[in-house]
Amino acid sequence: MVIPSRENLVILLYSSILITILEALLFKLSPQIYSVFNSLPILMAGLILKINLFFFSLVFSNILFFLSSLNNLFFVEDFVLSKITINLFIVSSLVFFFIYLLRIKKNNTTFSTGKVLVFLTLITSFFLFLFNLLYYSKFASEDLKNFLLNILPEIKNSTQQPTTDYEGLVDMIIRILPSINTFVFLLTLIANFFLASFFLKKLKLPPIY
């Protein structure tokens, strides 16, 4: 059994706390800002840490975030906290796989950028499929459907039309929503990857990958 050095333990502690604080700060600033940039702190840690330290940093930061949510240190509703906690776990997992793929690419010249994107897309689709299957319940789907049926007539300025005119459009939106979520997540992840690399270079912390 390899005993971690004191330096690694310090790095692990500080990186876990930093990820947790930055994620909480982004959420407190605005849920919209959080939804776009929530992968940025995790990517910055992943680009400068060894893969094993990065993995344990994610584990401990998720535990810290979960414990903070149990004590409601963010002062929001429990339902919102549960969604944010699950979201952080999914994003952390996907970013870890992304960094791991970059590590493989660095050590294996035959593993191209195209393969990284293909595997990342497959892994992201799998995770989001499980999320939709296990967490995005039928009740949530019905709530979304009712919301769209109420809002679409207002957008069209034709409130006199029956909502059944929009049934087909709403059903189509709900069916393609998981695909849109996958595309948007991958787009923001790649954008945050380049943003994280830029910030790290400005901080004189050259990325490993």
Side-chain angles (χ1 to χ4, degrees), residues 130-196:
L130 285 181
F131 174 78
N132 289 325
L133 184 66
L134 300 175
Y135 188 74
Y136 187 66
S137 65
K138 180 181 179 181
F139 299 103
S141 178
E142 288 297 325
D143 288 342
L144 177 61
K145 183 175 181 178
N146 293 332
F147 171 78
L148 292 174
L149 286 174
N150 289 327
I151 200 68
L152 282 175
E154 297 179 10
I155 295 176
K156 291 290 185 179
N157 295 319
S158 55
T159 54
Q160 300 301 319
Q161 296 183 11
T163 57
T164 51
D165 292 347
Y166 301 97
E167 288 272 356
L169 177 60
V170 168
D171 288 338
M172 183 182 68
I173 292 174
I174 292 176
R175 281 197 299 268
I176 67 174
L177 195 59
S179 299
I180 295 174
N181 287 339
T182 301
F183 174 76
V184 170
F185 175 81
L186 290 173
L187 194 63
T188 55
L189 179 63
I190 293 172
N192 284 331
F193 168 75
F194 288 108
L195 192 59

Side-chain angles (χ1 to χ4, degrees), residues 94-95 97-98 101 111 113-130 178-187 189-190:
L94 292 175
V95 172
F97 281 117
F98 179 47
L101 290 171
F111 200 82
T113 302
K115 290 183 179 179
V116 171
L117 294 176
V118 168
F119 279 106
L120 179 62
T121 302
L122 291 174
I123 294 169
T124 302
S125 300
F126 175 74
F127 264 83
L128 293 181
F129 171 76
L130 285 181
S179 299
I180 295 174
N181 287 339
T182 301
F183 174 76
V184 170
F185 175 81
L186 290 173
L187 194 63
L189 179 63
I190 293 172

Side-chain angles (χ1 to χ4, degrees), residues 6-194:
R6 181 176 179 180
E7 180 183 0
N8 285 340
L9 290 175
V10 171
I11 293 173
L12 179 61
L13 176 63
Y14 280 113
S15 60
S16 302
I17 294 175
L18 187 61
I19 291 173
T20 305
I21 291 175
L22 289 177
E23 291 290 334
L25 180 61
L26 286 172
F27 176 70
K28 291 298 290 184
L29 285 174
S30 167
Q32 290 75 26
I33 292 176
Y34 176 80
S35 64
V36 175
F37 296 107
N38 57 359
S39 62
L40 183 59
I42 304 172
L43 281 166
M44 292 181 68
L47 288 173
I48 59 175
L49 295 178
K50 295 179 180 179
I51 194 69
N52 57 337
L53 283 176
F54 179 51
F55 173 77
F56 287 110
S57 293
L58 292 181
V59 172
F60 288 124
S61 61
N62 273 268
I63 292 174
L64 285 173
F65 199 92
F66 176 71
L67 293 176
S68 300
S69 66
L70 286 180
N71 292 283
N72 200 5
L73 298 181
F74 306 125
F75 304 105
V76 295
E77 296 178 2
D78 292 340
F79 176 70
V80 176
L81 280 175
S82 65
K83 290 180 65 176
I84 296 299
T85 304
I86 294 172
N87 180 269
L88 179 61
F89 172 75
I90 293 175
V91 172
S92 298
S93 302
L94 292 175
V95 172
F96 174 78
F97 281 117
F98 179 47
I99 296 297
Y100 186 75
L101 290 171
L102 292 178
R103 181 174 180 267
I104 295 176
K105 178 179 178 293
K106 180 182 178 181
N107 298 327
N108 186 353
T109 55
T110 62
F111 200 82
S112 63
T113 302
K115 290 183 179 179
V116 171
L117 294 176
V118 168
F119 279 106
L120 179 62
T121 302
L122 291 174
I123 294 169
T124 302
S125 300
F126 175 74
F127 264 83
L128 293 181
F129 171 76
L130 285 181
F131 174 78
N132 289 325
L133 184 66
L134 300 175
Y135 188 74
Y136 187 66
S137 65
K138 180 181 179 181
F139 299 103
S141 178
E142 288 297 325
D143 288 342
L144 177 61
K145 183 175 181 178
N146 293 332
F147 171 78
L148 292 174
L149 286 174
N150 289 327
I151 200 68
L152 282 175
E154 297 179 10
I155 295 176
K156 291 290 185 179
N157 295 319
S158 55
T159 54
Q160 300 301 319
Q161 296 183 11
T163 57
T164 51
D165 292 347
Y166 301 97
E167 288 272 356
L169 177 60
V170 168
D171 288 338
M172 183 182 68
I173 292 174
I174 292 176
R175 281 197 299 268
I176 67 174
L177 195 59
S179 299
I180 295 174
N181 287 339
T182 301
F183 174 76
V184 170
F185 175 81
L186 290 173
L187 194 63
T188 55
L189 179 63
I190 293 172
N192 284 331
F193 168 75
F194 288 108

